[in-house]
Amino acid sequence: MGATRTADPDRSRHASQPSATERVRALGTETAFAVAAAARRVAESGRDVVLLHIGEPGIPTPPHIVEAGVRALRDGLTGYVAPVGIPELRGAIADTVRARGIPCAAENVVVTSGAKPLMLYTLLALTEPGDEVLVPDPGFPIYESVARLGGARPVPYAVRTGADGLSASEVAAGIGPRTRLLVLNAPHNPTGSLIAPAELDALADLVLEHDLRVLSDEVYGRLIFAGRHESIASRPGLAERTVLVDSFSKTYAMTGWRLGFAVMPAPLVEHVSTLIINNTSCAPPFVQHAGIAALTGSQHCVGDLVARLRGTRDALVRGLASIDGVRIAEPVAAFYAFPDIAPLLERSGLTVNQAADALLERHGVATLAGTGFGAGGDGHLRLSYATAPERITLAVSRLTDWAADLSSRS
Ligand SMILES: Cc1ncc(COP(=O)(O)O)c(C=O)c1O
């Protein structure tokens, strides 16, 4: 037997500390994952739960896309490929982006495992510690979380429901000497809003005037019911300053495949490639082949999805509008309703989190509290209407009972 090991002073110091660094403990999260687990627990107790918490189209991936992925697997396309994506997919993406009026060549395209990693890569590549980043509030929580991870300071700006969800003058009010990056998300999660063309022009002017960069998250860009979605990258001089993030997840019902992409200025591609090499190495090639089929095949599946979502949106909005204590503005894009339930909270004395918990635990409807999207989401719930029409009908009936329950506590 060897000599007894002496205590390592470094080890004992770490042992007395929490299990992870402050940096990692400060990371934000998406509450959808925690609510999914809570909904599973309720369902396991034998109760039916209507799942309106999750950001998924709620249909299977179209068969021609699945077939392309399976064929690529059978053809043995199972090895590492170029970190920024295979040339055929980068080319197909560039073609679709140019068709939207945005200058783009295959060299500007980076393919990743879902859109989400691009938030971190962009924040790390474009901000220094101490820089400020303008983020939507309410907004997708990952922007703020990864900004903090990189040492930048998130500065919120307000977003509302409707076709003109954002005011450029409110964004301008948050710009200071350290502002480096503007994060835009339109169509917007969680409000289902768009940016009006005149506001987009004004934002483009702000970006040029203050020498900013833009992260434009457009993953819901094809799911529009009223008005038009335009990218800030289509404005003169903006493609050179914008990382346009898009995904196959929502448009083609491919959330679990993990396939996203960004279009960015060519000099940035090399740096993002290095970040990918340090992380996932590449997106799986068979998944990328499914992506080519999605982009180059029939787009009827997207039209069908939008038609289906329009039906469930209308049913949910009608139902919510009929509930005393709930105020609902019609969402114009994406697949979320963001009702204001402040009157119910006032009557019941509950917080929005407690009200969402009661809705799940006692009435069997899983939703997200608006506070999971920032302080600006307080008083609201986010409901995904990407589900079957009969589930929406059932959800409305349960929401009506829940609202009556909360109102009777006053
Ligand atoms: C605004 C927004 N951006 C990005 C994502 C993530 O997309 P992906 O599945 O491609 O990572 C989501 C998912 O909910 C989202 O709502």
Side-chain angles (χ1 to χ4, degrees):
M1 300 287 280
T4 315
R5 284 176 61 179
T6 49
D8 173 348
D10 237 29
R11 274 180 165 238
S12 56
R13 181 166 55 80
H14 286 302
S16 65
Q17 286 180 353
S19 54
T21 59
E22 203 173 306
R23 189 176 57 225
V24 166
R25 283 183 291 127
L27 267 178
T29 185
E30 269 193 87
T31 50
F33 289 98
V35 173
R40 252 193 316 275
R41 278 197 299 278
V42 175
E44 276 163 14
S45 73
R47 308 246 324 274
D48 174 66
V49 182
V50 185
L51 305 175
L52 303 187
H53 64 289
I54 197 76
E56 302 202 86
I59 51 167
T61 305
H64 69 282
I65 300 175
V66 175
E67 275 316 307
V70 171
R71 201 177 322 118
L73 272 171
R74 291 219 174 92
D75 288 348
L77 300 178
T78 54
Y80 292 126
V81 288
V84 290
I86 59 176
E88 306 92 299
L89 179 56
R90 293 176 82 198
I93 289 169
D95 291 345
T96 66
V97 171
R98 270 197 313 278
R100 292 192 239 161
I102 298 162
C104 177
E107 298 76 55
N108 299 109
V109 175
V110 171
V111 175
T112 47
S113 293
K116 227 186 212 176
L118 290 160
M119 321 289 162
L120 179 64
Y121 300 157
T122 305
L123 265 293
L124 288 179
L126 292 182
T127 62
E128 300 286 356
D131 282 348
E132 292 184 356
V133 179
L134 294 157
V135 295
D137 179 21
F140 189 52
I142 301 306
Y143 311 133
E144 179 177 335
S145 175
V146 297
R148 286 192 202 284
L149 184 66
R153 194 171 83 84
V155 175
Y157 64 85
V159 179
R160 285 171 281 272
T161 43
D164 53 352
L166 182 161
S167 143
S169 59
E170 285 179 15
V171 174
I175 298 178
R178 295 301 306 261
T179 309
R180 173 81 176 149
L181 183 72
L182 167 63
V183 178
L184 295 176
N185 172 218
H188 183 247
N189 174 13
T191 64
S193 66
L194 291 170
I195 302 174
E199 295 300 320
L200 203 62
D201 292 341
L203 287 171
D205 289 345
L206 279 179
V207 169
L208 294 171
E209 184 187 336
H210 296 277
D211 191 20
L212 306 181
R213 301 292 179 273
V214 184
L215 165 60
S216 183
D217 181 344
E218 305 181 23
V219 303
Y220 299 98
R222 305 253 320 258
L223 307 180
I224 314 282
F225 312 110
R228 265 179 61 148
H229 163 63
E230 294 175 274
S231 174
I232 196 165
S234 67
R235 297 303 195 255
L238 265 289
E240 294 85 340
R241 293 172 171 269
T242 301
V243 176
L244 187 169
V245 172
D246 203 340
S247 175
F248 292 77
S249 286
K250 319 289 176 174
T251 317
Y252 298 104
M254 293 178 70
T255 48
W257 293 73
R258 310 308 302 131
L259 189 62
F261 64 90
V263 173
M264 62 186 75
L268 196 55
V269 171
E270 187 190 329
H271 301 294
V272 174
S273 172
T274 307
L275 284 162
I276 294 171
I277 292 167
N278 275 270
N279 188 7
T280 56
S281 292
C282 60
F286 47 92
V287 171
Q288 295 194 48
H289 278 271
I292 294 171
L295 292 182
T296 59
S298 164
Q299 299 301 294
H300 280 135
C301 54
V302 183
D304 290 349
L305 174 61
V306 172
R308 178 186 158 91
L309 291 173
R310 187 190 293 277
T312 50
R313 174 195 69 148
D314 291 350
L316 181 62
V317 168
R318 241 189 342 266
L320 288 169
S322 72
I323 299 175
D324 177 35
V326 175
R327 297 186 281 241
I328 176 72
E330 190 170 74
V332 294
F335 42 69
Y336 306 115
F338 199 58
D340 175 359
I341 60 162
L344 292 178
L345 300 180
E346 251 166 58
R347 285 176 209 163
S348 62
L350 296 183
T351 65
V352 69
N353 283 293
Q354 290 167 331
D357 286 349
L359 181 55
L360 172 60
E361 306 283 344
R362 289 204 222 126
H363 297 274
V365 183
T367 62
L368 300 185
T371 40
F373 298 87
D378 199 5
H380 293 74
L381 290 182
R382 192 200 75 171
L383 289 73
S384 164
Y385 48 82
T387 188
E390 57 276 14
R391 299 299 281 171
I392 295 288
T393 308
L394 182 58
V396 168
S397 149
R398 292 181 181 178
L399 280 155
T400 307
D401 292 346
W402 160 81
D405 204 9
L406 296 197
S407 296
S408 70
R409 293 175 179 224
S410 53

